[in-house]
Amino acid sequence: MASLSFSASLGVRLTSTASTHRAPTTYKLPIIQSKIREIFMPALSSTMTEGKIVSWIKSEGDVLTKGESVVVVESDKADMDVETFYDGILAAIVVNEGETANVGAPIGLLAENEDEVAEAVARGKGKLVKDEIKAEGGQATVEIEKIKRVVVATPNAKKLAKQHKVDLNKVNGTGPYGRVTSEDVEKAAGISTVSVPAKSVSSAAPAAATHTVPAAATVSLPEIPGSTIVPFTTMQAAVSKNMVESLSVPTFRVGYPVVTDALDALYLKVKKKGVTMTALLAKAAAMALAQHPVVNSSCKDGKSFTYNSSINIAVAVAINGGLITPVLQDADKMDLYLLSQKWKELVEKAKAKQLQPHEYNSGTFTLSNLGMFGVDRFDAILPPGQGAIMAVGASKPSVVANADGFFSVKNKMLVNVTADHRIVYGADLAAFLQTFSKIVENPESLTM
């Protein structure tokens, strides 16, 4: 049912036929305001800036119920069903399958009833719609027609328009489907973006040094015949963005050899119960972090430490078309067998691209294990928002000398940790690695 409101600005003069001597009476006609709601591209993770439509579960014209899944969206980490928050009719699909849209942008239009479907379809196509208002009073009937331009604007554009008192109906949108953007509103309000010119070279400098050096010149590489350009998937684009962001963090790396004979023996015992080496390493790292909370902390503003109350171990997993880090939450408090079961569930969901946001974006420390591929050592890149990441290599036989000078062969693996040097110092990381090594070399506590 469309809502009804009365406009104080619209006055229509009706002349009564009951008496020709009475002064004309002015009536205010009701304006019917339709409820056409936009289905927005949701932010499915803290790093998501745009999403790709995998498939529309519902078709145009379908009747929707609140809480019902409407569309499947590919975020930077997973494919997720998007539900509707209202009852209504899916009147128009604005973004088709395979296309992308920025977070907050309309991807579909929901009409409250059948009477509003036509207007929603017209809005989806960016056309003008025609509203007819009919009012009847006694023997007099007045019909008013007006052409109304339906404006589709981004949330930020609407906010700016309200702040600067800009009429969105008079703004020409330059975004997709004629959508009004923030830049359009700023232009209409006469707000110009001030660009700060680069500092010029001092006139006192020698004449020989006055030539201009181009900043960040783009290198044009020759094309290789027969090569194919494949654009990033949403996940690959997110990984690329995160890796670039990591370059702004001052990091350092520390390597540490760990004897794994006892851990290997324990693994052979618990393997038949479904326990993986990844679960054992995650549990050992979590127990070590409990004794060294600074390594589990993070620096988010460049000015302070954030000591995380939970120890959530994110583990890097390679899946088709990208990389994702499912999170074992409260890994230090979880039983080893329950932790292994949870890890198996997370890996299955990751491969099916069905992880929920809290299952991949809540990590406080990351573990990357390439030992199963025979890699003996490697350095990992620190994920944004975390204090450290551990890279684990393969366990291999090594000749070891004891305190008495006798030689023996033991299995050893090399662990490299990359840390944010703003919050984690060398002594902190060394102490953490010593604790981790003791837990691995005496792993009885992992099963308690």
Side-chain angles (χ1 to χ4, degrees), residues 51-274:
K52 180 180 179 180
I53 303 298
V54 177
S55 63
W56 281 94
I57 301 174
K58 300 295 183 179
S59 304
E60 291 183 348
D62 288 351
V63 178
L64 307 180
T65 304
K66 180 180 178 181
E68 192 173 10
S69 296
V70 182
V71 61
V72 179
V73 173
E74 178 188 345
S75 72
D76 52 357
K77 300 294 184 183
D79 293 350
M80 297 187 64
D81 291 352
V82 176
E83 301 175 351
T84 175
F85 294 102
Y86 303 97
D87 297 337
I89 301 172
L90 181 57
I93 292 176
V94 179
V95 182
N96 296 315
E97 294 181 1
E99 297 179 348
T100 60
N102 292 331
V103 169
I107 59 176
L109 296 176
L110 188 69
E112 190 176 54
N113 54 50
E114 293 182 357
D115 297 334
E116 297 157 357
V117 171
E119 181 180 347
V121 171
R123 179 185 296 192
K125 295 179 180 179
K127 293 183 177 181
L128 298 179
V129 297
K130 183 177 180 180
D131 292 336
E132 288 188 2
I133 303 176
K134 295 184 178 181
E136 296 183 2
Q139 301 179 14
T141 301
V142 177
E143 182 172 307
I144 301 173
E145 293 183 354
K146 67 174 183 177
I147 301 298
K148 175 185 175 184
R149 178 173 177 250
V150 180
V151 178
V152 179
T154 64
N156 193 45
K158 293 178 181 178
K159 181 179 179 181
L160 288 174
K162 185 176 181 181
Q163 290 177 349
H164 299 288
K165 298 180 180 180
V166 174
D167 186 358
L168 289 175
N169 291 290
K170 298 180 181 179
V171 179
N172 293 323
T174 60
Y177 304 97
R179 191 175 300 121
V180 177
T181 64
S182 304
E183 291 75 13
D184 298 330
V185 175
E186 291 175 347
K187 183 178 180 181
I191 303 173
S192 59
T193 305
V194 180
S195 59
V196 181
K199 293 183 179 181
S200 58
V201 181
S202 173
S203 57
T210 58
H211 64 279
T212 304
V213 179
T218 302
V219 179
S220 179
L221 299 176
E223 292 187 7
I224 299 176
S227 60
T228 303
I229 298 177
V230 179
F232 281 161
T233 63
T234 306
M235 180 179 292
Q236 290 168 339
V239 171
S240 174
K241 179 176 177 291
N242 288 340
M243 296 303 96
V244 173
E245 287 183 3
S246 297
L247 297 176
S248 63
V249 178
T251 59
F252 72 109
R253 297 165 179 81
V254 175
Y256 201 96
V258 180
V259 176
T260 64
D261 288 326
L263 184 68
D264 294 337
L266 175 62
Y267 175 59
L268 291 177
K269 293 180 181 179
V270 298
K271 181 180 179 181
K272 55 187 177 183
K273 297 182 180 180

Side-chain angles (χ1 to χ4, degrees), residues 48 50 106 141 146 149 168 178 210 227 287 303 311-312 445:
M48 178 176 169
E50 66 177 16
T141 301
K146 67 174 183 177
R149 178 173 177 250
L168 289 175
T210 58
S227 60
M287 293 177 64
K303 301 177 182 178
I311 297 177
N312 301 334
S445 59

Side-chain angles (χ1 to χ4, degrees), residues 23-39:
T25 304
T26 300
Y27 294 90
K28 295 176 180 177
L29 298 181
I31 297 179
I32 299 176
Q33 294 181 343
S34 61
K35 284 188 177 179
I36 299 176
R37 295 185 172 94
E38 295 174 331
I39 302 174

